[in-house]
Amino acid sequence: MVYDSNGIETIAPITPGDIESFHRALDLVARERKYLSFLEAPPLDQTRRFALDRIAKGDPGFVAVIRGEVVGWCDITRHDRLIHAHRGSLGMGIVASHRGRGLGSRLIHAALAQARKTGFVRVELSVHADNARAIALYDKVGFVREGVQRDAICIDGQYGDTIMMAIVERENAAG
């Protein structure tokens, strides 16, 4: 097996075969209790339904896999309602032991490139205001801050703000 200079086997679209490993990575990041919108991964069957639904709908979803295990992901979920179907919400995470190696940048670029190809006009996200590393990445790839939701999260009795960010590229509109 050949690895690149970061030891990454592949960054590729998520497949059904990646789901259990994705679930484990999601749970590891969630249990850090500081980056995601939940404190542990949803049950495996719920994660499986989410991933298979995203795959079936053609939503962008990429994983970083090293030695057969998912160590990071970035997905963009298209909104279901017709008047919002040009928009998607971005979610991503990197397992702690693999941060600082450029995976986030590679994953988000792959997901955004696919979003552009499939006609997304707006990609949005919310990020915990104290997550400076993620905010710097989002700024770097072109997300714009649209607002702050004060006390939007509460973890272990501590309230925190979230920053709403988006990329809007009307030239991607189908038509």
Side-chain angles (χ1 to χ4, degrees), residues 61-104:
F62 288 82
V63 290
V65 179
I66 185 166
R67 295 176 188 87
E69 283 294 314
V70 171
V71 297
W73 71 91
C74 184
D75 56 65
I76 302 171
T77 302
R78 188 179 296 273
H79 291 264
D80 291 332
R81 295 187 179 161
L82 185 58
I83 66 168
H84 298 289
H86 64 287
R87 307 169 35 198
S89 295
L90 184 139
M92 68 180 300
I94 307 289
V95 172
S97 59
H98 295 279
R99 292 183 190 137
R101 300 179 184 186
L103 286 180

Side-chain angles (χ1 to χ4, degrees), residues 26-73:
L26 179 64
D27 195 54
L28 283 172
V29 177
R31 287 180 186 274
E32 289 182 68
R33 305 175 70 83
K34 56 184 173 180
Y35 301 117
L36 302 181
S37 294
F38 36 81
L39 303 177
E40 63 184 44
L44 178 57
D45 62 326
Q46 188 177 336
T47 301
R48 181 176 284 111
R49 279 193 307 273
F50 170 82
L52 292 174
D53 188 48
R54 302 283 64 81
I55 292 167
K57 290 182 176 183
D59 289 349
F62 288 82
V63 290
V65 179
I66 185 166
R67 295 176 188 87
E69 283 294 314
V70 171
V71 297
W73 71 91

Side-chain angles (χ1 to χ4, degrees), residues 5-6 22 27 58 80 99 111 114 147:
S5 61
N6 294 317
F22 164 64
D27 195 54
D80 291 332
R99 292 183 190 137
Q114 186 63 32

Side-chain angles (χ1 to χ4, degrees), residues 86 116 119-122 167-175:
H86 64 287
R116 289 178 182 107
F120 283 80
V121 172
R122 176 185 170 88
I167 290 178
V168 177
E169 298 174 340
R170 284 200 184 161
E171 60 272 18
N172 297 332

Side-chain angles (χ1 to χ4, degrees), residues 108-129:
I108 200 168
H109 281 294
L112 289 172
Q114 186 63 32
R116 289 178 182 107
K117 288 179 188 172
T118 55
F120 283 80
V121 172
R122 176 185 170 88
V123 176
E124 57 204 23
L125 60 86
S126 66
V127 58
H128 297 188

